[in-house]
Amino acid sequence: MKKRACWIMAIALLCLITACSSRPDAIETGAGTNNGGSGSGKIGSGEAKVTLSMMVNVADESLTEVYRGIVDGFTKENPDISVNLQFDSTGYENTMKVKMAANDLPDIFDTHGWAKLRYGEYLADLRDEPWAANLTDTIRDVVTDEDGKVYALVLTEAKDGLLYNADMLKEYGIEVPSTFEELIAAGEKIKEESGGKTRPLYLSGIDDSMIGQYLDNFASPLLITAPNNQAEALLNGTFDWSGFTPLAQSLVDLKERGLMNEDVLTAKRSDLPAAFAAGKATFVLVGPAFMDDVHKIDPNINIGIMPVPSMIEGDTPTFAGGERNTLALWKDSKHPDEAKKLLQYFAKPENMAKLSNVSKNPPGLKDVETDHELTTYYERYADIRVFPYFDRVYLPNGMWDVLCKTGTELLAGRVTPEQFSETVKVEVERLSKE
């Protein structure tokens, strides 16, 4: 812990020296120089008596427009409050680490998946807010601790599985796979009957987070979701990391059987929408925003979402999930009442629906009616279990990069599945000490 504290303070000192942590000047929407992400700026009346600072980890322009619209509606109803709204997606995590080290956080900010584990000690308890009792059954425990503290308003929650070409499955007479074996069989059928045109799974070694996503999403079905699982061993440090080898082997097998794109090591994530629209890929491990890029190329293609198939006999499919878009309140905010008022405005069903419809993620509150391409799928899979992302619970901070880079080495043939597991073991032990 001492090493970690020193590391955080070193980052803070470095950023102060380079002026990278200076607070952006508040500006009126659409005027002046923008120091934050696209669309950042001050929203509200010049007569406002209180200005709230708000930072959000969002890059998609269509979603930033929704945030701005909601904040604009709030300030019109509350002319005595303005909001300095800042968007950041590329440097958000490092910016927030610096702000935590300096104990100088925005009044309201996005916890981007780490409400309890990373930001918990900095957040106010929101259990008494009128929306808190309406958190969905699948997200409540993610942002609530054993004492009942509610850490954040969840605007949209993640239910990640695989997006797939629904037209292609229908064309080949394939039911949505529920087990890993069925996924392999579906891939073999598609590859064969397409004459090799379609390689069912698309991954990118250039943007290696896609490889990390495969390993993270399928780690839970292998080790966590079955009745007899390794959750306790992973948490108490007794897990035998050779148990990770089958996961690595499954990735190698997909490549060797020709069930992923041949150019996996040189492919770019940005090439995926065109490949998917052209029928060169069937299953992808990306977020729903990907659908908009595909529909710009082919507006008529039908895209569905499916849970992550089970890997252990007797188990059932699951979603990987947790927080997607959130808003939390800094416990030392000088304007807690005004900030809570803004959160309550975001929690209105009509505003929650807007955020869900644009992001295509399910809302984090109950009784919100949505209408987007994946609504029927989320309704169909409403009873599917949702497990937190594997790395957020069972791996120390820093392991995501290890999964991405070592997974790429695995596909390149520079490490074996056994060596992959050994590397993971060594890195887990190293990072757990920091």
Side-chain angles (χ1 to χ4, degrees):
M1 292 300 293
K2 289 182 178 179
K3 289 182 179 179
R4 185 175 182 181
C6 291
W7 174 72
I8 292 175
M9 291 306 297
I11 292 178
L13 180 60
L14 176 62
C15 289
L16 288 170
I17 293 171
T18 59
C20 70
S21 64
S22 59
R23 187 189 299 271
D25 292 332
I27 59 174
E28 298 297 335
T29 302
T33 301
N34 190 339
N35 291 326
S38 175
S40 297
K42 185 178 178 181
I43 301 174
S45 168
E47 303 300 318
K49 298 176 182 178
V50 170
T51 297
L52 297 173
S53 55
M54 177 177 174
M55 287 193 68
V56 182
N57 183 26
V58 170
D60 183 72
E61 186 174 348
S62 60
L63 193 54
T64 62
E65 288 178 0
V66 177
Y67 276 89
R68 286 198 304 270
I70 293 173
V71 171
D72 185 56
F74 172 79
T75 58
K76 282 182 169 61
E77 287 190 15
N78 301 274
D80 56 333
I81 305 173
S82 63
V83 180
N84 184 19
L85 175 60
Q86 300 292 320
F87 296 104
D88 185 6
S89 61
T90 57
Y92 187 87
E93 189 167 359
N94 287 333
T95 297
M96 296 307 291
K97 286 179 180 178
V98 171
K99 289 182 175 294
M100 284 190 290
N103 195 36
D104 182 21
L105 290 124
D107 295 302
I108 297 172
F109 61 94
D110 186 350
T111 58
H112 62 107
W114 299 96
K116 288 198 294 187
L117 294 177
R118 183 175 299 171
Y119 297 110
E121 64 182 289
Y122 298 92
L123 300 182
D125 187 353
L126 300 172
R127 76 176 77 191
D128 295 326
E129 290 304 289
W131 48 262
N134 212 29
L135 288 164
T136 66
D137 295 337
T138 50
I139 202 63
R140 182 182 297 109
D141 291 346
V142 176
V143 293
T144 305
D145 66 18
E146 58 187 13
D147 295 322
K149 176 179 177 178
V150 174
Y151 290 80
L153 165 63
V154 180
L155 303 174
T156 67
E157 59 178 295
K159 284 189 177 180
D160 288 350
L162 286 82
L163 293 177
Y164 66 93
N165 186 326
D167 297 326
M168 191 175 290
L169 292 196
K170 183 177 180 180
E171 176 186 352
Y172 292 115
I174 297 172
E175 294 292 327
V176 174
S178 61
T179 68
F180 192 78
E181 290 78 8
E182 290 176 1
L183 181 66
I184 295 294
E188 295 280 13
K189 181 178 176 67
I190 291 169
K191 177 190 170 187
E192 180 180 350
E193 296 190 13
S194 69
K197 172 190 173 183
T198 305
R199 298 299 177 100
L201 184 67
Y202 185 103
L203 295 175
S204 166
I206 299 297
D207 301 294
D208 57 15
S209 64
M210 296 186 73
I211 295 172
Q213 198 66 58
Y214 172 89
L215 294 166
D216 201 66
N217 276 22
F218 280 98
S220 287
L222 178 67
L223 301 172
I224 304 300
T225 65
N228 295 321
N229 59 67
Q230 298 296 318
E232 185 176 352
L234 282 159
L235 290 173
N236 65 26
T238 61
F239 177 65
D240 179 355
W241 283 99
S242 65
F244 222 59
T245 302
L247 179 65
Q249 186 64 56
S250 73
L251 189 59
V252 172
D253 289 345
L254 285 168
K255 183 174 186 291
E256 291 181 345
R257 297 171 76 158
L259 299 182
M260 69 175 64
N261 47 310
E262 289 184 287
D263 62 346
V264 57
L265 296 176
T266 57
K268 298 178 181 178
R269 187 188 185 109
S270 58
D271 296 332
L272 174 55
F276 193 90
K280 295 180 179 180
T282 311
F283 303 101
V284 291
L285 288 150
V286 292
F290 157 82
M291 298 170 64
D292 290 333
D293 293 327
V294 175
H295 285 142
K296 289 175 184 176
I297 302 169
D298 182 355
N300 299 316
I301 190 170
N302 290 302
I303 304 173
I305 190 169
M306 57 179 275
V308 181
S310 63
M311 298 189 80
I312 302 299
E313 186 176 356
D315 197 15
T316 57
T318 53
F319 281 114
E323 312 158 40
R324 181 74 82 193
N325 304 110
T326 71
L327 293 176
L329 170 61
W330 181 32
K331 67 179 180 62
D332 294 327
S333 168
K334 293 182 174 60
H335 311 292
D337 293 337
E338 292 84 355
K340 288 179 180 179
K341 200 171 185 178
L342 178 55
L343 292 184
Q344 291 167 16
Y345 191 82
F346 265 89
K348 287 186 173 185
E350 60 268 31
N351 290 330
M352 295 287 291
K354 290 175 185 176
L355 291 158
S356 177
N357 287 336
V358 171
S359 69
K360 300 179 182 63
N361 291 300
L365 297 181
K366 299 176 182 177
D367 304 322
V368 176
E369 294 186 6
T370 63
D371 183 20
H372 56 79
E373 296 96 318
L374 296 182
T375 295
T376 56
Y377 289 92
Y378 292 133
E379 291 172 348
R380 180 187 309 168
Y381 295 124
D383 295 330
I384 294 292
R385 297 172 299 157
V386 180
F387 284 78
Y389 295 111
F390 181 85
D391 67 302
R392 290 183 184 174
V393 178
Y394 302 104
L395 298 178
N397 188 32
M399 278 302 297
W400 175 253
D401 285 341
V402 175
L403 290 181
C404 296
K405 296 188 184 328
T406 312
T408 303
E409 292 292 292
L410 182 70
L411 288 177
R414 289 189 282 267
V415 300
T416 65
E418 292 76 16
Q419 290 170 331
F420 174 90
S421 298
E422 183 61 27
T423 297
V424 170
K425 174 187 176 183
V426 170
E427 290 300 297
V428 165
E429 292 175 349
R430 179 181 68 83
L431 291 167
S432 296
K433 297 176 182 177
E434 293 186 359

